[in-house]
Amino acid sequence: MTHVDPTMLAAVRTGGTTAPQALHGQPSLKGPTGKPEFFYFGAEFCPYCAAQRWAVVVALSRFGTFSHLNQTTSSSTDVYHDTPTFTFYQSSYNSSYIDFVSVESQDRQQNPLQTPTAEQQQIISTYDAPPYVSSQAQGSIPFIDIANQYLVSGPGYSPQVLQNLNWQEIANDLSNQDSPVAKGILGTANYLTAAICQATNQQPAQVCSANPIPQIEQSLGKAGVGAGGPQLGFVEKPFEAVVRRSGE
């Protein structure tokens, strides 16, 4: 699934998905090995995280390699129940270009799983809140911070497009550029790829110069933060409660 045909990525372009938001004038976020950090915060029960992980895996697989990436599904009792996905819990990722840091805060049954460090909680409290997201979207998951240059709050596309499909059917749909699955996953992955390329100074060149990444980067460069930005605002209530407790 992670080795998507580049011609499919080029054909889908952004797929009508939601763009990351540009951050301006923020201190650079570096990961454990000093490379630009791609920070992901979500939960296994969350269907919006389930949808977004497909795109995250496709994008990050262009810059490095995952191992121990296990399949799971979102909660059976939440909206868009049992959405097929992966979990970053206990997975590993190796890249010469970026550091991937993930926190899956709760498991599929909404039991505590991983707790953000103080530094990670500061990132969440700062950027997954006004003025960077609307007050209605505050605390949304999935939340992604790409090197403090771009942020994503909520999914790039709706989990509805993955409903009633299994993992193999979703993977197969990635070979059909006209499918809602390809548009959602690959379009979001292209946006994430473009944002990562900005953080890595266009490395590796074969990824960052591939169609349509340079054109998407130009559109991202015009993005702003704050009022008027696109906000999906999918808020998972259990997570919202966690955020408010941790901030007290």
Side-chain angles (χ1 to χ4, degrees), residues 12-20 52 55 155-158 161 180-192 216 220 230 232:
V12 169
R13 302 185 68 82
T14 61
T17 59
T18 302
Q52 190 78 348
Y157 67 103
S158 172
V161 306
V181 169
K183 290 179 180 179
I185 294 174
L186 301 185
T188 300
N190 276 334
Y191 266 135
L192 295 175
I216 296 175
L220 287 178
L232 293 181

Side-chain angles (χ1 to χ4, degrees), residues 27-200:
S28 178
L29 179 63
K30 300 291 186 180
T33 69
K35 293 187 283 287
E37 180 174 320
F38 186 114
F39 174 66
Y40 163 91
F41 185 71
E44 291 183 344
F45 75 85
C46 161
Y48 307 109
C49 305
Q52 190 78 348
R53 282 192 212 95
W54 283 90
V56 170
V57 170
V58 170
L60 290 180
S61 294
R62 306 179 80 175
F63 298 86
T65 305
F66 278 101
S67 55
H68 308 295
L69 188 64
N70 294 316
Q71 293 179 339
T72 187
T73 59
S74 65
S75 170
S76 60
T77 59
D78 207 334
V79 294
Y80 307 118
H81 60 84
D82 301 306
T83 299
T85 188
F86 308 89
T87 177
F88 295 130
Y89 179 60
Q90 295 184 327
S91 71
S92 59
Y93 178 77
N94 183 59
S95 170
S96 300
Y97 309 99
I98 54 173
D99 284 334
F100 175 56
V101 177
S102 64
V103 177
E104 300 281 14
S105 60
Q106 298 176 53
D107 67 15
R108 190 168 175 264
Q109 286 75 41
Q110 300 185 20
N111 298 311
L113 193 59
Q114 294 178 290
T115 302
T117 65
E119 180 182 11
Q120 291 165 350
Q121 185 59 57
Q122 182 63 35
I123 294 169
I124 298 163
S125 299
T126 300
Y127 296 112
D128 201 12
Y132 302 104
V133 302
S134 68
S135 57
Q136 293 86 355
Q138 181 171 358
S140 294
I141 52 174
F143 169 76
I144 293 170
D145 182 330
I146 302 174
N148 275 0
Q149 294 187 28
Y150 291 93
L151 65 85
V152 177
S153 180
Y157 67 103
S158 172
Q160 184 173 357
V161 306
L162 306 181
Q163 288 298 283
N164 303 315
L165 299 175
N166 61 35
W167 289 270
Q168 190 58 54
E169 289 169 333
I170 293 170
N172 291 344
D173 271 355
L174 295 182
S175 297
N176 175 7
Q177 69 186 60
D178 297 319
S179 72
V181 169
K183 290 179 180 179
I185 294 174
L186 301 185
T188 300
N190 276 334
Y191 266 135
L192 295 175
T193 298
I196 295 169
C197 285
Q198 295 269 31
T200 64

Side-chain angles (χ1 to χ4, degrees), residues 1 8 50 55 59 174:
M1 190 284 299
M8 293 301 305
L174 295 182

Side-chain angles (χ1 to χ4, degrees), residues 221-234:
K222 301 172 185 175
V225 174
Q231 293 292 335
L232 293 181
F234 296 122

